[in-house]
Structure formats: structure tokens, C-alpha cells
Amino acid sequence: MVRKELHLDEKTIAALEIEAKRQNRSLKNYLEFLAIEQAKKLEVPSKEYTQMMDGLLNKFDNNEIQFSSIEEVLDKNGISN
């Protein structure tokens, strides 16, 4: 674990504390949660995922993907509308 210090104004801290309490978290836990969630959004996709998506995009470009309407999917899976 790495420790970092944050410098935030009182108004910001107050708003964060309110949300932390609303989520039944401590301020520290809430800040850690926010940082982890944001870091996940910034991660670069894995090589395998990138290759898989590139393959799908190539199939799409070459009209090799067949799409189904929502009605067909619902009917196929026995789900009524």
C-alpha cells in the first residue's frame, strides 16, 4: 500500500463526508472506493480483449455478423414482451 496526502477545502470534505455517510462508509473508505473506481475506468484493455474486439470489428466491416431484433431474441429465449 502507498499512502498519499490530500489537500481539500472544507466544503469539498463536507460534501464527501455526507455521501460517505449515505453509503455507510467512512470518509477514508469512500475516498479509496472513488479512487479505485476511477482507476478502473482509466485502465487500458488487455491484449486479449483488444484482439477480440478487433476481430469483431473486422467481422462487422465485412458484413460477417448477423444481428437479431429484440423481438427475435425475446422469442428465442421464451420471454414474453
Side-chain angles (χ1 to χ4, degrees):
M1 288 283 170
V2 176
R3 294 179 65 103
K4 294 288 180 183
E5 185 175 323
L6 297 174
H7 298 274
L8 302 170
D9 62 72
E10 290 179 22
K11 190 175 182 180
T12 301
I13 293 292
L16 290 168
E17 284 177 330
I18 290 169
E19 183 59 20
K21 284 181 184 177
R22 192 183 73 74
Q23 293 189 22
N24 295 319
R25 297 175 182 266
S26 67
L27 178 59
K28 178 181 180 285
N29 176 265
Y30 182 61
L31 290 171
E32 289 170 346
F33 167 77
L34 289 176
I36 290 167
E37 289 301 306
Q38 186 60 37
K40 287 179 186 177
K41 292 177 185 175
L42 299 173
E43 287 179 349
V44 176
S46 68
K47 182 178 178 181
E48 294 81 13
Y49 178 79
T50 303
Q51 289 173 340
M52 184 267 307
M53 288 304 296
D54 287 344
L56 285 174
L57 290 171
N58 286 335
K59 286 182 178 182
F60 179 78
D61 290 342
N62 295 324
N63 293 318
E64 297 172 3
I65 296 179
Q66 294 180 3
F67 293 97
S68 301
S69 69
I70 189 65
E71 291 80 14
E72 291 171 322
V73 173
L74 293 173
D75 187 51
K76 180 180 177 182
N77 291 289
I79 302 170
S80 60
N81 219 356

